[in-house]
Amino acid sequence: MLSDSNRKSILKVVHRHGPCSPLVRDHNPLNVTEILLRDQSRVKWIRSQSSYSSYGLKASVAASLPAKPDITDGEYVVTIGLGTPKKDLTLLFDTGSALTWTQCKPCMGSCYNQSDPIFNPSQSSSYANISCASTFCPLGWGCFGSTCKYSFIYADNSTSIGFFATEKLTISPTEVIDNFKFGCGENNSGIFGTAAGLIGLSDNNISFVEQTAAKYGKYFSYCLPSSASSTGHLTFGKDGRALSSVRFTPLSKIQQEFYGISIVGISVNGVPLSIPSTVFSSAGAIIDSGTTITQLPPTVYSALRTAFRKAMVNYTTAPAVSTFDTCYDFSKESTVTVPSIKFSFAGGVDIDLDRSGILYMVTASQFCLAFAANGADSDLVVYGNVQQRTFEVAYDVAGRKLGFVPNGCS
């Protein structure tokens, strides 16, 4: 746990399969093809949600959590405390989900294997179920007797079903949130790895962001590290030390929860791609921590691939992998010069991607251009977490703006 005069606490972020992760390693982590297929499922689900309301994936005080990345499937974890006495739980965090939940005893249906002991609400003096009659029980949710019940189905058909409840949530010894509303899941399945559940950071009235609005002003930021052996952070509240260096672009709301952004152009080695000026605005775009690879309109991806291949013409190519069609073998190279890729956002914000956001390492002899093409130019663009690596990405939800700070994990 890190702290300073501007941040009351910082949660560390790590890859959940990396050496810094507190989680037990999965015996069968996802390979690249599975990651890309899962990305496609998630993006397809997000697009389906953008046309109607939903509560999540079928969900100057500052406090921060260290963020830990998942090298194999693009998910990042943090550790928080829940209950009285406090039990530490390592959870995935997701800007595309609203509900925060963890597995709970007794597992009335099924529970997957997790690294932390499963939370037992009967052993916490601060736990309380939310009544169906309560205004806190969202419309459309079910009931089990008189208790509010939730049922979430995620993009990959993973599920969490259980009781909606309140509990004491501890971010740091000095940062405690009483009566935090969360899902106590007694029937859970899917590819959550060995994480205990999920923190929902979407733009939604049951998300962590909204529930802590009085404390943190609906402001949070994170930095996703460049590799599995590095750490980042997840911060709640404004950090006065860094605000002067944040460059903001307008942030919109896509339906009930997604964070909409406006991409206006892409450059390779300083040269703007020759693409129609309306290609991004007609499709629309969101930023998402749970999607691994940025999904671009086919017209844009084709122009990016052509420019990148031209700049990399002197390097040995490698076989394609799934949707990765531009790959290279650097095994015989002593040095590699990777062309720069710059994204331009509305408001005059330009960011030069980190090298880890340009090339994706499949194997030691296979590095691929880390982007994918949508099915059509009209499909929603999703700015994925690989392209966000090493930047502090600041969500000023109340101010409706999104900021970027280079080298944000240091």
Side-chain angles (χ1 to χ4, degrees), residues 69-352:
D70 178 344
I71 194 67
T72 64
D73 60 12
E75 291 165 342
Y76 294 79
V77 295
V78 295
T79 300
I80 54 92
L82 192 68
T84 307
K86 175 178 73 72
K87 302 296 183 183
D88 285 340
L89 298 170
T90 299
L91 307 176
L92 303 166
F93 73 89
D94 184 10
T95 60
S97 295
L99 181 70
T100 295
W101 63 267
T102 188
Q103 297 198 109
C104 286
K105 290 184 176 181
C107 293
M108 301 301 288
S110 66
C111 286
Y112 58 85
N113 292 327
Q114 65 178 54
S115 294
D116 304 312
I118 294 178
F119 183 72
N120 189 342
S122 68
Q123 295 180 355
S124 172
S125 62
S126 47
Y127 176 90
N129 284 325
I130 293 174
S131 167
C132 273
S134 170
T135 56
F136 294 130
C137 186
L139 289 174
W141 286 23
C143 293
F144 185 83
S146 61
T147 301
C148 189
K149 180 183 176 182
Y150 75 93
S151 178
F152 274 34
I153 303 173
Y154 290 80
D156 55 13
N157 290 318
S158 298
T159 61
S160 180
I161 301 169
F163 298 115
F164 199 38
T166 60
E167 185 56 284
K168 179 180 288 186
L169 188 148
T170 301
I171 295 177
S172 74
T174 59
E175 289 295 302
V176 176
I177 300 162
D178 292 316
N179 300 313
F180 181 79
K181 295 181 281 293
F182 79 110
C184 203
E186 296 187 355
N187 189 356
N188 316 286
S189 64
I191 24 184
F192 301 108
T194 56
L198 183 148
I199 295 179
L201 297 176
S202 71
D203 191 359
N204 182 283
N205 61 7
I206 65 167
S207 76
F208 183 97
V209 179
E210 183 66 37
Q211 288 195 56
T212 60
K215 181 183 284 285
Y216 301 126
K218 298 178 71 171
Y219 189 106
F220 70 96
S221 65
Y222 56 72
C223 184
L224 307 179
S226 60
S227 71
S229 58
S230 305
T231 63
H233 64 81
L234 170 61
T235 301
F236 300 111
K238 293 182 179 180
D239 177 3
R241 177 186 59 184
L243 281 178
S244 61
S245 60
V246 182
R247 301 156 68 191
F248 285 103
T249 183
L251 186 68
S252 61
K253 186 172 184 177
I254 304 296
Q255 287 301 318
Q256 287 287 320
E257 59 195 316
F258 301 112
Y259 294 108
I261 56 175
S262 297
I263 303 171
V264 296
I266 301 175
S267 300
V268 176
N269 275 343
V271 179
L273 297 181
S274 180
I275 52 179
S277 59
T278 58
V279 68
F280 284 115
S281 59
S282 60
I286 66 165
I287 184 170
D288 182 41
S289 70
T291 299
T292 306
I293 302 299
T294 292
Q295 315 282 316
L296 295 170
T299 297
V300 176
Y301 178 74
S302 178
L304 174 63
R305 178 181 59 190
T306 297
F308 190 84
R309 286 178 175 177
K310 183 178 180 180
M312 297 289 286
V313 68
N314 292 326
Y315 294 102
T316 303
T317 57
V321 183
S322 185
T323 55
F324 283 157
D325 60 8
T326 301
C327 304
Y328 299 90
D329 180 357
F330 300 134
S331 59
K332 297 180 181 179
E333 305 290 341
S334 56
T335 60
V336 176
T337 301
V338 178
S340 65
I341 295 181
K342 178 173 67 179
F343 270 70
S344 298
F345 298 89
V349 174
D350 297 327
I351 64 167
D352 288 298

Side-chain angles (χ1 to χ4, degrees), residues 355-404:
R355 177 169 169 168
S356 65
I358 296 174
L359 287 172
Y360 192 99
M361 187 179 78
V362 179
T363 67
S365 59
Q366 200 171 26
F367 289 78
C368 301
L369 180 63
F371 295 87
N374 282 333
D377 280 351
S378 58
D379 288 342
L380 182 72
V381 176
V382 181
Y383 192 74
N385 65 49
V386 165
Q387 281 65 47
Q388 299 173 48
R389 288 177 180 175
T390 75
F391 288 88
E392 176 145 17
V393 185
Y395 293 71
D396 185 347
V397 182
R400 308 311 309 176
K401 54 188 180 179
L402 179 80
F404 297 93

